[in-house]
Structures are given as structure tokens and as C-alpha cells.
Amino acid sequence: MKCAAVARFAEGLFPFSMPVQGKTPQISEAPSKAWREEINVLHEFLADHRTDLIDRCKSKVAQRPSPAAIGEEPEHGVPLFLDQLIKTLRMEQTMEPMQSRKISGPAGGGTPALSEIGVSAAQHGRELLERGFTVDQVVHDYGDLCQAIMEVAFEHTAPIQVDEFQTLNRCLDNAIADAVTEFAYQRDLASADNRVHTFNERLGFLAHELRNLLSTATLVLATIKAGNVGLGGATSAVLDNSLIAMRHLIDRSLADVRATAGLNARHQLISVARLVADIKTATLLEAQERGCELTVSYVDPTLAVDADRDMLLAAVGNLLQNAFKFTKPRTRVALNTYAAADRIRIDIEDCCGGLPPGGAERLFLPFRQFAADKSGLGLGLAICRRSVEANNGVLSVRNLPDVGCVFTIDLPRHSLSIERALGASGANRVVGR
């Protein structure tokens, strides 16, 4: 953690090897009285060259590739440390030299002790973490000052006493240790916060999906209890599908907990026509409950996508439920599916009145809600985007000012064989209006 000159001194080697104008600076073991009368002690030398030392440190920081040099000196950086070093050296020239430990701390590490350098170095480590620096750059920040002191002393042929050099070494050691310790602590704390945030988001995902499926099942059950439909029709099949989807969601969530990873898409070639037909059956009741009309376009029975059916079904269902929630009363929500070159696009268009300026991308942020209806967790669109991207797709939104907006799921296009396309044609008759 020390600069090269300190390391060489610690090994008992001469720290300066090149003469300057016939003179060689040296570390004096026993300075004479004449030297004390001619040459300032180290704290005076550092005070006289303070500006030059700080400028050299800034230059060294600017030469490092990453991150880019900062515009202003951190509040607890090199200038403050240099002042504390000067204060320590000055105190050691008094009748109570051990009082310097209150400024710079004891030598040798061990049990941490409160000192001015320790407090400010810890704050400096936190500042550098916030500015995106790495731990090795925290060390270099103090090493730069050590190198700058050696350079200036060399240029001015200034001898340094052994005890002063040891003090410099001690101050650097303590500052680096405290800065690195705080840097690591704050970094680990931020990492823990991120893990908590990720956990909360996953928990929100589970709660959000379960609530949507339970809501659908509740609507179907109410319709069956009212005697409007029988137990063997398409409506009751929606109840079965909702319960099955809840089981799959819980199974997947448990697997996610065990693997401590995100949801893995289970890809298979699926009929888009059949997918849309199932979505229409599952969401038609909610559209009626919300007082809006759901229109679904004709789907070519040969179109297919290679995707996780449950994830894609949940994504489109979430977008439709979102559209039902925010579209104006007695208007319509449209579900249009079509091919465009090598892509398949699923559009969900509503009549919400349009988005506020700059609101398109913010819609996909977790726990964000912008409308008056604050029911839910604000997770639906974030979940949709993640699910679509897990299936190699793209989810985007297009604003229709004063009218509404169109959410588009864009997926790679695949085709079904003739036999499978004919099998999906029954679903297509259900989808077309």
C-alpha cells in the first residue's frame, strides 16, 4: 500500500538514486545543528510546497484511464490528508510528540483507534465509492501523494529525517487502511440493499401474478354461480386455466427460490392463433366487467412463436388488464396480431387519452404509477417487459396523443406445419370477429 520510495526505505535501501545538479537528497539519521539552521523540517517543507503537491496528485489521477478524472477535489481527499500530515509532523516537534496520535493514529494497525486521519480517510473512501472508483484506485489516491512528496524532495535536494519518514509511512498506512475498510463496508452495504430490492421485486411479481389469476377465477366463479353458464363450457375452462396457471406460477416461484435465479423461459413452438384465442376467452369477462369492448383481429393460423407459453400468456394478459383498467368508459380495447417480415407483432391498443410528455419509458419502471387509479403494485408493465425479453422479444409503447396508446410485443416469426396449422384453425374461428 506504500509508494515505491517508502517500500525501498522499509527494505533499508537508499530511496534516491539519481543526483540533481550534483546534489543527492538523502534521509538523515542524525541531522546536525547546522542542518536544522539551514533547512526547514519536513512539515515546513510540505507547507511551502502544498499547492505543487496537490497539483501533482491531480495530474496523476487524470492520467489513470478509469474512471475519468473528477471535476472537483473530494472534500476529504488529498488536501485534507496533507494538512493532517503537516499537523502531525508539527506536533511531533513539540514537547508532547505522542499527542500526534490523536491526529494520525498509532503505528502497526491492530485495534482501531479514533483519529482525525482515520475519520476523514473513511469519509474519503465513501466519497470515492460514490464516484465510481475501485478499491485499487482508493489506494492509488494516497500513493500519489507519497510519490509527489518524493518527487518534490528529489527536485529540491531536500533531506528527510528517519523519524519524519516513519511518520509519513504511519500516516499513509492508517489513511489507506481506514479508507479501504470504509470503501468495502459501503460497497457490501449497497450490494445487500440491491439484493433486498431484487427480493422485493420478485415477491411483488409473485403477488401481482397470483392476484391477476385469482381475479379471473373469481369472475368466472361468480358467472357460474349466477347460472349464466354451465360447468362444461368454455367459460368454465377459463377457471381451469386460471387454477392451472396459479399452480405453474407457484411451482416456478419455488424453483426460482431454490435456484436463486430469475425465471428461465421454457421455449416451445406454439400457435399464435391458439394463444390469442385463449387470451380472448380469459379476458373477455373482465372487459365486460370494466364496461369496455374487446375487439380481436383475425390471426393467420400458420403463425407461430418459439416462446414460453405461460410467460407470453401472462405478458399479453397483463397488458390487456392494464388497458381495461385505464381505458375510458364505453370505449374499446383492441388486440391485433399480425406478421411483419420476419417478426410477429401483438398490439394492445386502448383509449386512455394518451400519455403525459416523457411518460412512455417511465411506464416500465417497477413500483411506478402515474394514473389516478393506484390499485396494484405498479409492477405489471415491468413484469411484462421482463417476460417478453426472456422470450427474445421487445416490448414497446407508442403514444397516441389525446386518444390512447399502443403496446407492442415484437417476437421472432416462426411457422407451423400444415397439419398443425389446420389444428389451430378451430381456434382461429373463435378469434376472428
Side-chain angles (χ1 to χ4, degrees), residues 345-368:
R345 296 196 174 105
I346 303 174
D347 289 347
I348 295 90
E349 181 178 348
D350 62 38
C351 298
C352 65
L355 300 173
E361 280 306 310
R362 288 186 297 159
L363 283 174
F364 296 102
L365 297 176
F367 306 106
R368 296 293 183 92

Side-chain angles (χ1 to χ4, degrees), residues 40-362:
N40 290 337
V41 289
L42 182 58
H43 69 80
E44 294 175 343
F45 178 82
L46 296 178
D48 290 342
H49 297 277
R50 182 181 183 276
T51 301
D52 185 20
L53 292 169
I54 293 172
D55 289 342
R56 287 173 187 248
C57 289
K58 289 181 178 179
S59 176
K60 293 177 188 299
V61 171
Q63 292 172 12
R64 284 197 286 271
S66 178
I70 51 181
E72 59 183 51
E73 182 67 31
E75 182 180 353
H76 302 93
V78 167
L80 179 57
F81 173 78
L82 182 56
D83 292 339
Q84 292 167 335
L85 173 61
I86 294 170
K87 186 177 177 181
T88 297
L89 290 165
R90 185 180 294 119
M91 178 62 69
E92 295 192 345
Q93 298 294 321
T94 67
M95 298 298 293
E96 298 180 330
M98 294 305 294
Q99 293 297 314
S100 67
R101 285 359 185 222
K102 295 181 179 180
I103 305 168
S104 53
T111 304
L114 181 64
S115 67
E116 293 181 21
I117 282 182
V119 172
S120 60
Q123 292 172 320
H124 187 51
R126 185 163 56 249
E127 287 175 339
L128 293 182
L129 175 65
E130 292 171 352
R131 292 167 183 252
F133 282 70
T134 61
V135 67
D136 63 303
Q137 290 164 325
V138 176
V139 176
H140 285 312
D141 209 44
Y142 289 99
D144 291 341
L145 179 60
C146 177
Q147 293 176 10
I149 291 173
M150 295 300 109
E151 290 168 0
V152 175
F154 181 88
E155 292 169 6
H156 291 270
T157 323
I160 301 176
Q161 300 180 65
V162 170
D163 59 345
E164 292 177 327
F165 205 89
Q166 290 174 334
T167 298
L168 170 61
N169 189 8
R170 186 185 84 241
C171 291
L172 285 169
D173 273 351
N174 290 341
I176 291 172
D178 288 319
V180 169
T181 299
E182 182 66 15
F183 181 96
Y185 172 77
Q186 294 295 335
R187 181 187 57 193
D188 293 344
L189 187 63
S191 177
D193 288 342
N194 288 335
R195 287 194 295 270
V196 170
H197 176 76
T198 300
F199 172 78
N200 287 338
E201 188 170 338
R202 288 180 180 174
L203 185 62
F205 169 83
L206 175 62
H208 184 275
E209 290 299 297
L210 284 175
R211 188 190 64 179
N212 285 345
L213 293 170
L214 184 59
S215 176
T216 300
T218 301
L219 285 172
V220 173
L221 182 59
T223 302
I224 294 175
K225 289 173 66 176
N228 296 328
V229 296
L231 293 175
T235 303
S236 63
V238 175
L239 178 60
D240 292 337
N241 291 336
S242 296
L243 295 175
I244 292 171
M246 279 193 278
R247 184 190 66 191
H248 289 167
L249 181 61
I250 293 172
D251 288 343
R252 179 174 292 182
S253 298
L254 291 174
D256 185 43
V257 170
R258 288 192 296 266
T260 63
L263 298 174
N264 296 317
R266 294 170 293 190
H267 289 264
Q268 59 178 318
L269 195 65
I270 58 178
S271 164
V272 176
R274 171 61 65 183
L275 179 76
V276 172
D278 291 344
I279 291 170
K280 177 184 178 182
T281 303
T283 58
L284 193 57
L285 286 175
E286 186 169 357
Q288 294 171 353
E289 184 74 15
R290 292 279 184 171
C292 62
E293 178 187 6
L294 173 63
T295 63
V296 182
S297 68
Y298 170 85
V299 182
D300 183 343
T302 64
L303 295 181
V305 291
D306 184 18
D308 184 310
R309 189 179 187 281
D310 290 338
M311 294 180 74
L312 193 55
L313 195 67
V316 179
N318 273 329
L319 290 173
L320 282 170
Q321 288 172 339
N322 202 60
F324 299 149
K325 179 178 178 181
F326 297 112
T327 198
K328 294 179 180 179
R330 294 180 296 280
T331 59
R332 70 177 181 87
V333 171
L335 174 60
N336 300 316
T337 306
Y338 55 96
D342 61 345
R343 311 294 293 181
I344 290 178
R345 296 196 174 105
I346 303 174
D347 289 347
I348 295 90
E349 181 178 348
D350 62 38
C351 298
C352 65
L355 300 173
E361 280 306 310
R362 288 186 297 159

